[in-house]
Amino acid sequence: MDSCACSDVFAWIMNLPPINKWNTNSMSVSIFSSSSTQTSLNLSAARNLQFRTIYFSITTGFNVPISLWAAKPVKANPNSGEFTDDETMSSLLVNFIEDVLKYCSNKCKSSIIIPKLYCVPNFKDIFNLSFLALSFLICIYEAPTNLRSSALASLKDQLTRCQLREASKSLMRAIGSNLEEQWMRSINLAVTNWIAEVKSTHQTLKTPSPLFSYSVSTPGLWKIQLYCPVIAMDIQNSSNATTDERLLFSLHYHQLEGVIQFNYKVIIQEKWIDVIVNTDNIRCDIVRLLNENLMEERGAGMDDKHFPSRISLCLTPILQTNIMSVSVSKSSENPRRDIELEKSIETSFDPPTNIGVKLSAGETTSLSLRPWKFEESVYGYSTILNWFLHDSADGREVYTSKPSKMALMNPRAWFKDRYSSAYRPFTRQGGVIFAEDEYGKNVHWKVDNKTIGKTMEWEIKGWIWLTYWPNKYKTLYTETRKLEFREIVHLTIA
């Protein structure tokens, strides 16, 4: 039977005796073992008494261990032989984090320093999380085939446990947003490779934590950060399945990165309390997981990828006993529609020496639609915020429709050259940004003043749709994918 022998590597390392009291020159613990293939994934520690140094590594095999990864050497105390002080364990943790970040193919050079984390309250969980994340990547890229599948399934289950998911949120907040994005690109590139490998063999796979999200609640601000590899998102609709490997390569090797920020304020009135929430920033980007060279060599190029076509958010106070009412600022933001009709007739009469009449007529009609439409609605005490992308040619919602074959071949369609056109509905990088000044003012709850001094919980549920219509690549393939997330945020009535 396959088994996970040790998920608490922090405790195993802390319980190692001083190196001068080891009975052998190396010690190891099994991270995962498979009885069917007689193989295992291990964490090994080897000592060098001459230099008072310990070498940690991830190895595989029962009889002859094969090293898959090695940490930087750790110095032991020259007098006691101990090596488990805070400074050393923090350095080992930074080693794990740095090596996870190295697997990011699309990283930017940065001078950002990884902080020392041994003062963080849940340092042990962060240590175990970082080691298991590194083991996950090592297993995808380095482990032998007969061990990879079962070991990855075990590591996935450990990484998605509630305790380690909380640790991952603490780690992301500690290392900062720039390194967080690089970390998630490393993890999701590996997840994409794993899913692509499994799909190539026509096997079924329950995607490994396809969505990572977390929330931050601070006075005056709610924030949700989320990441999801495109290949792991559910397909809502598509045209006939394509076998174009170059196109699929480009579509799969991207991830969704989203940020949702709400500002709120609490105003205590004489008979009730006003809780006012307004949109600060909604950002949704489709980011490639590989560098430009690979996208050009193996894929359909840099300009063919999914784009956001709908974003829906639902804000709900969880305990509604003390909620009195909810109101929104507007029911809809209607698209601008400009219709121009111009008719003209031009005539001229030449002198008698050259008799002739010239006549010309012209008619011009133009139609202008705002590509994004915003709607607000109320269900009970929940507020639903919707952003819809519309086809500028016929006004249809993009996420539920697909263009005609003639439109797909039309080089002047709005979805062609969509990242560089002057009238593009996206940023040049292919994302969208919605801000307060453009989409609605606020959502307003009236709350019973008995809640003064209490902390209330709000649920933020969200759905994001990504659509692919061909851009510069010649294809008739289209598809729309969808993800769902849910986070809890807090608000103190004071």
Side-chain angles (χ1 to χ4, degrees), residues 269-340:
Q269 308 285 5
E270 182 179 353
K271 296 183 179 180
W272 64 74
I273 298 165
D274 291 322
V275 175
I276 301 172
V277 178
N278 64 282
T279 301
D280 175 63
N281 240 217
I282 309 293
R283 303 195 298 271
C284 184
D285 291 303
I286 314 301
V287 179
R288 57 186 169 83
L289 295 171
L290 295 173
N291 58 43
E292 295 182 19
N293 291 337
L294 279 171
M295 283 297 186
E296 295 292 344
E297 291 174 7
R298 298 187 56 187
M302 298 286 295
D303 297 310
D304 276 80
K305 59 182 180 179
H306 291 79
F307 54 82
S309 54
R310 180 185 174 186
I311 299 173
S312 181
L313 302 174
C314 180
L315 283 64
T316 306
I318 292 180
L319 182 61
Q320 300 191 352
T321 307
N322 297 311
I323 303 297
M324 300 168 62
S325 68
V326 60
S327 57
V328 295
S329 60
K330 61 179 73 174
S331 61
S332 67
E333 177 69 29
N334 292 319
R336 185 177 72 245
R337 183 185 293 267
D338 300 327
I339 300 179
E340 300 175 0

Side-chain angles (χ1 to χ4, degrees), residues 160-195:
T160 53
R161 291 203 321 262
C162 180
Q163 184 177 2
L164 290 190
R165 284 188 64 83
E166 288 301 315
S168 65
K169 298 174 184 180
S170 299
L171 175 61
M172 296 302 101
R173 289 193 288 266
I175 64 177
S177 183
N178 291 66
L179 294 181
E180 170 187 316
E181 289 187 357
Q182 190 172 324
W183 172 283
M184 292 309 305
R185 291 172 190 179
S186 294
I187 297 295
N188 284 338
L189 172 58
V191 169
T192 300
N193 282 326
W194 180 22
I195 296 176

Side-chain angles (χ1 to χ4, degrees), residues 378-492:
V378 173
Y379 176 77
Y381 288 141
S382 298
T383 297
I384 299 96
L385 313 177
N386 274 298
W387 292 263
F388 300 91
L389 178 65
H390 288 74
D391 187 334
S392 297
D394 55 24
R396 291 188 301 171
E397 294 176 350
V398 169
Y399 83 105
T400 56
S401 62
K402 65 178 182 179
S404 66
K405 290 184 179 180
M406 290 298 295
L408 288 171
M409 293 185 288
N410 179 11
R412 295 186 178 181
W414 72 263
F415 50 88
K416 296 292 185 72
D417 201 25
R418 55 180 172 254
Y419 306 126
S420 55
S421 167
Y423 304 101
R424 61 183 181 268
F426 313 104
T427 64
R428 187 170 289 274
Q429 288 72 35
V432 290
I433 300 175
F434 303 126
E436 171 193 6
D437 59 349
E438 190 175 4
Y439 294 95
K441 291 183 179 179
N442 56 60
V443 182
H444 185 176
W445 283 273
K446 282 186 170 62
V447 183
D448 194 309
N449 55 19
K450 294 178 183 178
T451 59
I452 293 177
K454 297 181 180 180
T455 297
M456 299 183 67
E457 292 184 333
W458 255 258
E459 176 193 69
I460 300 180
K461 288 184 69 174
W463 300 263
I464 298 177
W465 287 259
L466 301 183
T467 296
Y468 172 72
W469 289 356
N471 187 18
K472 293 185 177 181
Y473 194 70
K474 293 182 179 179
T475 179
L476 297 179
Y477 181 71
T478 63
E479 73 172 26
T480 294
R481 293 174 179 258
K482 175 186 175 184
L483 71 82
E484 178 179 344
F485 63 90
R486 175 183 179 272
E487 290 291 335
I488 302 298
V489 292
H490 301 86
L491 177 151
T492 300

